Amino acid sequence: MEHGTRGRAVVKFLFWTAVAASLVFTMARAHVSGRLAAWYYHTAAIEGYAVNADTFLDATAAAPATLAVGNFERIEGRQAVPVKQGDRLPANANGIIGKDILDKGVRATLAGDTIVVKVPWKISESKGFKFKDTFKHKGIKTYPWGAAWNVAMTLGIGLALGFMAEGFTDLLGIKLEKIRHFEGH
Amino acid sequence: MFDFVVAGVVAPIFLLVFVGFTVGTVGGFIGVGGGYMVTPALIVFGFPGYMASGIDMTHIAGKGLVSTIRHRQLGNIDWTMALSMVAGTMLGVELGVRLLVYFKKLGISGVVLLLTSVVVMFSLFLYTQIETRRAHRKAEQMTRDGQKIMREIQTSNLPSYFQRIPFFPIVRCRTARVVVSMWVIVGVGVITGFLAGFLGVGGGFIRVPALVYLVGASTHIAVGTDLVEIVFSGGYGALRHSMEGHVDMMAVLFMILGAMFGAQFGSIATSYVRGPAIRYILSYSLILATCGAVLRLAYVLTGQSVEILSLLAVMLTLGEMIFLCLFIISLVLFAIRHRKGKTVPPWVPSLVV
């Protein structure tokens, strides 16, 4: 490989590796700091009680889970915070038990300052596949700019990894020529 | 094990990287996003159904970009064709999604969706398989006669019919060496986008045959050009899913990292084969996906009571990814052996370069 070509390949590979690494680092930091989750479980889309649905997955009709209702800033364990449509969700909340569900009283009921959950999940079906459907993600709305950030990061990482791989093969001297589509072999 | 906080799932990272790799390989080779394989795999790993679709669609956009960059280097992209089709594809996807929402309101979306999948995929499999066998026989005959074979061998008469449509403006797609009315390309975009939006997939498995058999592009160029469409439609789908809250970005990240390696291999593998080899793999992927959809349809129609049907559908889908990946790897290995003058099975020489 010529010296200049190799130099360009090194620069290309290092530049795109740095871009890819910084994007991956940014995403990892957003995950660790809880920003991804906070953007995701951002606003209440319905009226009800914000909860952390992971804390009462083991509840059953025979051994229901009891959630303490209060205006907590952060949900710790089995707690629930009343929310109206459009309210910002408290930290660590990941779903809403809707008022309609409490009114029906089949899966969960409101009893004074507590919510009693009897059916924390049910089996649902999507495109012919079954999955465990919990209260998680129910009644929440994500931060709109978070969605744009997701797409920008995905495309950014795809672009950086694509050029990084191209730089890597250039660096190794693997010559990938354009395919001659209209010539006989 | 990694705690995917947003999805609420604890799953091993290597599984997601592995799925990304296998689907990246298949997608880079036949120009599909692989949604019909990834969504069931994610559900098996414990991701909720809505989340599986969102993660799948988002990772497709990133993976499509990785493959597109490599296909651009290999000269497999016709930008005129790709950009002419984008608007039609987006319009089609939006119409498809709206029709799906309508069927959801009627409460019959599951059955209609699976039934449409079966009919569309099986029809495409049948046509692709018949035509590719014909092309393969022709190539074998040419090899026996000692003639030089072009990279592409295609025996369908449909492209010449569509290329004669005289509606203004007529565009010259230089890379694909096709002169055709822009409305044909836009129409292909609308129809394939519509089906993709309705079926909730990227639509590559419909668009690649459409570009080959309707527009007249060579299979390699159809694959590269389709991946450009997948970046656009996948990006749009990712935005919609993200706004609905169906995306765990950490899962997307691990899948893209796996897909980076797979997409490189799949894309570069196209330079070792002729058009019919890609179409063979595409048609096998279609029939396997059809079998999976038939099992899921039977499961839904039997009131979701026969659990073995759902289990078989999942096993078939996961097996399909690995089977196709191994098939592509063996084709490349055979091509390398053939280049070195070593013995290969008799069906190989006419399929590889």
Side-chain angles (χ1 to χ4, degrees):
Chain A
M1 190 192 277
E2 283 177 30
H3 191 70
T5 319
R6 189 177 177 81
R8 272 199 299 275
V10 170
V11 171
K12 184 178 181 180
F13 174 67
L14 289 179
F15 173 77
W16 286 108
T17 305
V19 174
S22 60
L23 288 173
V24 170
F25 176 74
T26 306
M27 200 184 282
R29 205 174 60 174
H31 168 75
V32 173
S33 69
R35 200 175 67 198
L36 278 182
W39 276 354
Y40 189 84
Y41 301 109
H42 192 263
T43 317
I46 56 169
E47 188 180 348
Y49 291 81
V51 294
N52 185 317
D54 298 333
T55 59
F56 52 85
L57 277 180
D58 53 351
T60 59
T66 305
L67 316 183
V69 175
N71 286 312
F72 312 107
E73 281 188 12
R74 180 184 176 83
I75 293 183
E76 301 287 358
R78 292 182 170 180
Q79 294 179 332
V81 177
V83 285
K84 288 198 166 60
Q85 190 179 357
D87 282 358
R88 182 78 168 84
L89 292 178
N92 214 20
N94 63 14
I96 292 176
I97 299 179
K99 199 171 164 294
D100 55 330
I101 289 189
L102 292 170
D103 290 343
K104 282 181 192 160
V106 179
R107 295 185 67 186
T109 48
L110 183 63
D113 282 347
T114 58
I115 290 175
V116 178
V117 183
K118 289 175 277 188
V119 185
W121 54 267
K122 56 182 184 171
I123 295 294
S124 295
E125 179 262 326
S126 171
K127 294 183 186 175
F129 292 103
K130 279 185 175 177
F131 67 96
K132 204 187 229 185
D133 201 7
T134 67
F135 280 109
K136 190 160 185 162
H137 180 272
K138 297 290 178 293
I140 61 111
K141 208 172 162 186
T142 54
Y143 180 50
W145 285 109
W149 187 88
N150 281 357
V151 178
M153 286 300 281
T154 305
L155 294 178
I157 288 174
L159 189 77
L161 290 177
F163 280 118
M164 186 186 90
E166 199 176 274
F168 185 67
T169 45
D170 290 354
L171 188 67
L172 293 179
I174 299 171
K175 207 169 160 70
L176 287 170
E177 289 179 345
K178 284 196 187 303
I179 293 175
R180 286 166 291 164
H181 298 283
F182 304 99
E183 280 181 29
H185 296 274
Chain B
M1 296 295 264
F2 188 87
D3 186 5
F4 295 96
V5 181
V6 169
V9 176
V10 177
I13 293 173
F14 89 89
L15 275 182
L16 292 176
V17 175
F18 178 72
V19 169
F21 174 80
T22 48
V23 177
T25 304
V26 177
F29 190 77
I30 59 176
V32 300
Y36 55 96
M37 295 184 265
V38 175
T39 304
L42 290 176
I43 291 173
V44 171
F45 300 157
F47 286 85
Y50 54 82
M51 194 64 89
S53 297
I55 293 169
D56 172 33
M57 189 58 94
T58 310
H59 116 276
I60 281 175
K63 184 193 71 180
L65 199 49
V66 175
S67 302
T68 298
I69 289 167
R70 191 55 89 182
H71 277 282
R72 172 197 59 95
Q73 194 184 20
L74 294 168
N76 286 344
I77 298 174
D78 190 302
W79 291 101
T80 310
M81 199 182 281
L83 298 175
S84 304
M85 204 161 45
V86 166
T89 303
M90 304 308 262
L91 175 68
V93 169
E94 191 57 43
L95 291 173
V97 169
R98 286 183 186 212
L99 185 69
L100 180 64
V101 170
Y102 172 72
F103 278 119
K104 268 186 182 165
K105 277 183 190 161
L106 295 180
I108 53 170
S109 66
V111 174
V112 172
L113 200 137
L114 286 168
L115 205 59
T116 313
S117 298
V118 169
V119 172
V120 169
M121 288 193 294
F122 187 70
S123 312
L124 285 173
F125 157 74
L126 217 54
Y127 189 81
T128 313
Q129 188 64 214
I130 291 169
E131 189 283 325
T132 307
R133 277 182 187 278
R134 216 161 43 207
H136 189 188
R137 277 199 297 272
K138 188 178 167 186
E140 281 180 329
Q141 185 60 47
M142 288 169 82
T143 312
R144 277 196 293 275
D145 297 347
Q147 294 176 27
K148 276 190 171 181
I149 314 175
M150 303 287 273
R151 176 72 70 157
E152 180 63 294
I153 308 142
Q154 210 253 81
T155 57
S156 172
N157 292 322
L158 285 172
S160 56
Y161 171 76
F162 281 94
Q163 285 168 8
R164 280 202 299 270
I165 293 174
F167 298 138
F168 180 82
I170 305 289
V171 290
R172 181 186 294 273
C173 305
R174 290 181 191 278
T175 310
R177 293 198 189 172
V178 167
V179 180
V180 67
S181 165
M182 197 178 79
W183 295 110
V184 172
I185 303 175
V186 173
V188 165
V190 172
I191 294 165
T192 57
F194 175 77
L195 284 168
F198 182 65
L199 299 177
V201 292
F205 69 90
I206 311 166
R207 213 153 32 230
V208 171
L211 285 174
V212 173
Y213 296 128
L214 303 183
V215 179
S218 80
T219 313
H220 289 75
I221 291 172
V223 167
T225 306
D226 174 60
L227 283 163
V228 179
E229 295 301 302
I230 284 177
V231 174
F232 281 98
S233 59
Y236 180 63
L239 186 68
R240 283 193 68 146
H241 275 293
S242 289
M243 288 173 79
E244 293 292 322
H246 295 169
V247 182
D248 186 315
M249 280 303 283
M250 292 312 287
V252 172
L253 175 66
F254 293 129
M255 289 182 68
I256 293 182
L257 289 177
M260 180 191 73
F261 295 100
Q264 296 306 317
F265 177 73
S267 308
I268 294 172
T270 58
S271 64
Y272 286 85
V273 298
R274 294 184 202 284
I278 299 174
R279 299 206 295 278
Y280 265 137
I281 303 268
L282 178 67
S283 73
Y284 292 138
S285 100
L286 282 166
I287 191 63
L288 288 169
T290 307
C291 292
V294 166
L295 285 169
R296 275 147 56 203
L297 182 64
Y299 174 64
V300 172
L301 290 176
T302 51
Q304 300 175 9
S305 55
V306 190
E307 289 294 333
I308 190 80
L309 291 172
S310 175
L311 185 70
L312 282 174
V314 169
M315 283 169 62
L316 190 83
T317 310
L318 295 179
E320 176 189 0
M321 286 195 304
I322 297 166
F323 167 74
L324 293 174
C325 202
L326 290 176
F327 201 156
I328 294 166
I329 292 170
S330 9
L331 261 180
V332 173
L333 291 177
F334 282 141
I336 293 170
R337 280 180 68 85
H338 183 60
R339 280 184 187 183
K340 288 180 178 170
K342 292 183 180 171
T343 349
V344 289
W347 53 270
V348 171
S350 51
L351 290 179
V352 299
V353 178

